[in-house]
Amino acid sequence: MTGITALAIHLPRLRLQRAAMAAAMGWLCPRGETRGTRTLAYWDEDPITMAVAAARACLAQAERNGVPEARTSVRALSFATTTPVFAEPQQAALVHAALRLPEATRAQDVGGTMRCGLLALHAALESSEPALLTAADMPLNTPGGTAEMRYADGGVGALVGCGPDLLTYRGGASLSAPFIERYRAPDRPLATDWEERWVREEGFLDLVPRAIAEAIGKAQLSAADIDHFVLPCVIPGAAKAVAQAAGLSRAKLAQPLDMECGDTGAAHALVMLARAMEDMRPGERVLVAQFGQGATALVLEAADAISAFPAAASAALADGIAEPNYLKLPIFRGLMPWERGLRGRFPVNEALTTAYRNAEALLGFVGSRSPETGQVQFPPSRLAVAETGLFAETQQPWPLADLGGTVATATADRLAFSRSPPNCYGLIDIPGGARLMMDFTDPDAERLSPGDAVRFVFRIKDLDERTSFRRYFWKAVAAPAPSAAA
């Protein structure tokens, strides 16, 4: 049977403090739980960029595990989200391009329910072809509401059928039901949640145990054979109640991560699973379930490779920057108008023909390299620049996204327009001799200085607020210390 061969998450580094949210809106909407933090995507992050970040980490994990052909083996790509960036075009195509997957890879978008990520994983596990699942969400909720505190931003990438298993699939079940606990019209940015008690009693406690029972039966196991139980739910105490109703008395409840990052929607079942895998031993069984217009439950068994699974989820949870300013949430999400100044009043025009013809360079970040001189160039060219000043028409594609670089010059510009001033940019030296002017990003971008090592991330370059179109490109962020990277 097939299984999960790599699993990685991406959490935005900004952690919005719930106490700050309560201080900002508590006068109007009294809050309940104000402990902990929730992730807040930076202004140039969205579900597409978070999915790319998680998938890159997932593919890198597979390569470290001795599967260098993981990227070229993928034949199916799914992008799952309840907060799509575009109704059209297909977002999975952009993820596909950024990851430089084979052209023959079948790409599809999945959505409509919080369990769309787990549904896509269920389909991949039941298939016989190598697959890459990505899921990411940025749930938008009414300012001042409880849901705004509970839901958060994040992404996950899971590789199925490419190399030795971390978790072997034993069996699963997906039940469908017209149970609507959360809804949003296509032209509305904010979702509406239904009454918690009804969702808990008639939804979670009815549908999820039935899906669990069917999945355990297909795995030819009993409830007593389950060692770990993963069930994301923002309703306090619901996961424990479901475990009791399903007879999972031996199973250890996975950490909900509500204090550390909040519920990341379509990605959260696998975000919780990634953290739980750090504590699992070979032979232990985990049941992963999620609710939403029905329920999905999957039974997985830890293989020997689980012993070497990195504690990357714990590292991502710990690698946060506390954010005490609640107003960054509505500003970054476009929910609040603000004075942009003269430099912020310009349209963003995108020549779609040019973007397509240069997609490999712009989305895949592929330059060119001369096999004769070793010189790397970006943008790519069929003409190689030699030290003598001569040109030779011998160039080969040269991916740059995973190379990283070194800061040559750095500027923090407080006059230029930025959605999170200052606007940081500079020249980056890339191994092989290329030098490129790039934007710096992330909340600590201002700290980058000449000589600092950087890595490259896929982010939003420009937003056209008239048409809602957005351009993507690669930016530089501080590289982790060698110990953290390992």
Side-chain angles (χ1 to χ4, degrees), residues 247-270:
L248 302 175
S249 57
R250 283 190 59 254
K252 177 182 178 182
L253 278 178
Q255 298 179 36
L257 308 179
D258 52 341
M259 293 293 104
E260 296 89 345
C261 69
D263 188 301
T264 57
H268 205 58
L270 298 184

Side-chain angles (χ1 to χ4, degrees), residues 340-344 411-418 421-423 425:
R340 301 164 184 269
L342 293 175
R343 294 177 177 84
T411 299
D413 191 342
R414 294 191 178 275
L415 295 178
F417 170 74
S418 174
N423 187 17
Y425 53 88

Side-chain angles (χ1 to χ4, degrees), residues 339-355:
E339 176 52 52
R340 301 164 184 269
L342 293 175
R343 294 177 177 84
R345 301 170 188 169
F346 60 90
V348 176
N349 294 315
E350 177 68 68
L352 297 180
T353 50
T354 301

Side-chain angles (χ1 to χ4, degrees), residues 104-463:
T105 302
R106 185 181 68 256
Q108 64 174 352
D109 291 344
V110 185
T113 171
M114 285 286 189
R115 68 182 173 109
C116 60
L118 203 61
L119 276 168
L121 178 61
H122 189 192
L125 290 169
E126 294 280 349
S127 174
S128 59
E129 61 184 353
L132 176 61
L133 159 72
T134 62
D137 252 342
M138 287 174 54
L140 266 180
N141 297 281
T142 306
T146 303
E148 185 185 48
M149 274 195 169
R150 291 175 173 174
Y151 288 107
D153 310 328
V156 68
L159 198 59
V160 173
C162 299
D165 289 345
L166 290 168
L167 296 172
T168 301
Y169 177 57
R170 294 293 303 271
S174 288
L175 309 180
S176 298
F179 190 105
I180 302 175
E181 78 286 357
R182 180 180 171 89
Y183 62 90
R184 178 175 61 84
D187 60 339
R188 300 293 180 90
L190 304 178
T192 299
D193 290 281
W194 202 240
E195 197 269 326
E196 275 190 9
R197 183 178 176 182
W198 183 73
V199 174
R200 179 183 184 274
E201 300 297 325
E202 297 297 327
F204 275 86
L205 287 174
D206 178 32
L207 288 164
V208 180
R210 284 196 275 147
I212 290 173
E214 185 168 340
I216 290 175
K218 287 186 176 181
Q220 298 182 350
L221 299 170
S222 68
D225 295 320
I226 304 300
D227 302 289
H228 301 267
F229 179 45
V230 176
L231 176 65
C233 181
V234 297
I235 303 174
K240 183 178 180 180
V242 169
Q244 293 173 342
L248 302 175
S249 57
R250 283 190 59 254
K252 177 182 178 182
L253 278 178
Q255 298 179 36
L257 308 179
D258 52 341
M259 293 293 104
E260 296 89 345
C261 69
D263 188 301
T264 57
H268 205 58
L270 298 184
V271 170
M272 289 173 61
L273 175 61
R275 174 60 190 87
M277 287 168 65
E278 296 177 10
D279 302 324
M280 291 179 64
R281 295 174 296 179
E284 291 186 335
R285 302 181 182 101
V286 57
L287 194 149
V288 187
Q290 198 162 12
F291 174 79
Q293 291 73 68
T296 292
L298 308 176
V299 179
L300 302 152
E301 184 171 320
D304 290 341
I306 199 75
S307 301
F309 186 69
S314 291
L317 289 164
D319 184 30
I321 298 176
E323 178 53 68
N325 190 346
Y326 167 75
L327 287 179
K328 287 191 177 181
L329 174 58
I331 291 294
F332 287 173
R333 295 296 187 275
L335 296 176
M336 179 183 294
W338 54 289
E339 176 52 52
R340 301 164 184 269
L342 293 175
R343 294 177 177 84
R345 301 170 188 169
F346 60 90
V348 176
N349 294 315
E350 177 68 68
L352 297 180
T353 50
T354 301
Y356 175 68
R357 288 173 179 149
N358 296 281
E360 187 176 46
L362 298 177
L363 298 178
F365 201 20
V366 176
S368 59
R369 178 182 180 274
S370 168
E372 296 179 0
T373 66
Q375 177 69 37
V376 176
Q377 297 176 209
F378 190 90
S381 171
R382 66 184 182 87
L383 300 176
V385 181
E387 290 184 4
T388 59
L390 301 176
F391 297 85
E393 295 187 21
T394 53
Q395 292 280 284
Q396 59 186 181
W398 199 253
L400 306 178
D402 298 329
L403 295 183
T406 305
V407 177
T409 67
T411 299
D413 191 342
R414 294 191 178 275
L415 295 178
F417 170 74
S418 174
R419 288 175 171 80
S420 185
N423 187 17
C424 300
Y425 53 88
L427 286 171
I428 301 296
D429 287 328
I430 299 173
R435 173 171 279 191
L436 179 63
M437 179 69 74
M438 299 190 75
D439 289 328
F440 303 164
T441 190
D442 268 5
D444 53 1
E446 193 174 359
R447 298 182 182 179
L448 284 174
S449 58
D452 288 347
V454 296
R455 61 185 178 89
F456 302 130
V457 294
F458 187 71
R459 295 291 179 90
I460 298 169
K461 175 67 174 175
D462 291 308
L463 290 166

